[in-house]
Amino acid sequence: MSRLQKIGGIAAFLNVAVAIAMFATAIVLIGPAAMSDPSKLAQMAVQNPAPLLVQDGLKFISVAISIVLILAIASYLNRDNLTLNSTLLWVATGFGFCSVLCLFCNATLSLYAISQASDPSGAILSLDRVNSIIGLLGLAALVLDGVWFLLISWISLKGRQLPKSLCYLGLGIGVLSLIPPLGIIVLLLGIAWSVWIGRVLLRSEPAG
């Protein structure tokens, strides 16, 4: 087992903890009503920004974990040049990094919006415009991540490098990620996927 593979396995389990924390923050601390209403989010940013700050902090942690996990999976699938289509693997990795970049920008702009919410007159950019961009970045991160899931799972299925059921789960997540309203379902399925891929990466023998 390579060092990167081991670190990737640990990152997968850390990703589970972060995903659960993000889900709990969104449902319990922020609330479904605020999540679906930009005006309520703006009001929360002024009156009680703590939950939003926690969520953005978790996004930054997720970015770091995702980078490690993307690299670890690419390395695992490309071990000994066994991958049937290495070019497709690196294309998939590119989509994964683009998704991570979108999430990073989403969290960064969200922090900016929160900092300016109490005094919008001093904002360099229109907060309405910023909030629109934040939403688009979140959507882009979800869709690009879905493409990564689709490509990685397809490569793994064809190369028989991951358990078939795990590949099918990844394909399902990829398809659902292309339907934004199903984001919560994607998050929950992603938790199961992370646990499974973590176990695979932490095994001393390659998964077949």
Side-chain angles (χ1 to χ4, degrees), residues 7 18 41 87 136 141 157 204:
I7 294 175
V18 172
L41 278 179
T87 300
L136 288 174
L157 187 61
S204 58

Side-chain angles (χ1 to χ4, degrees), residues 158-181:
K158 288 299 182 180
R160 299 180 179 180
Q161 294 168 289
L162 291 174
K164 282 188 177 181
S165 297
L166 178 58
C167 295
Y168 291 135
L169 176 59
L171 289 171
I173 292 173
V175 171
L176 293 177
S177 296
L178 304 179
I179 310 173

Side-chain angles (χ1 to χ4, degrees), residues 69-112:
L69 192 53
I70 290 169
L71 289 173
I73 291 176
S75 175
Y76 181 83
L77 295 181
N78 201 43
R79 62 190 187 279
D80 300 325
N81 295 317
L82 292 177
T83 300
L84 295 179
N85 194 334
S86 295
T87 300
L88 186 59
L89 174 61
W90 293 114
V91 169
T93 302
F95 275 105
F97 281 133
C98 286
S99 173
V100 168
L101 179 60
C102 287
L103 182 59
F104 177 82
C105 293
N106 170 279
T108 301
L109 279 180
S110 179
L111 289 177
Y112 169 80

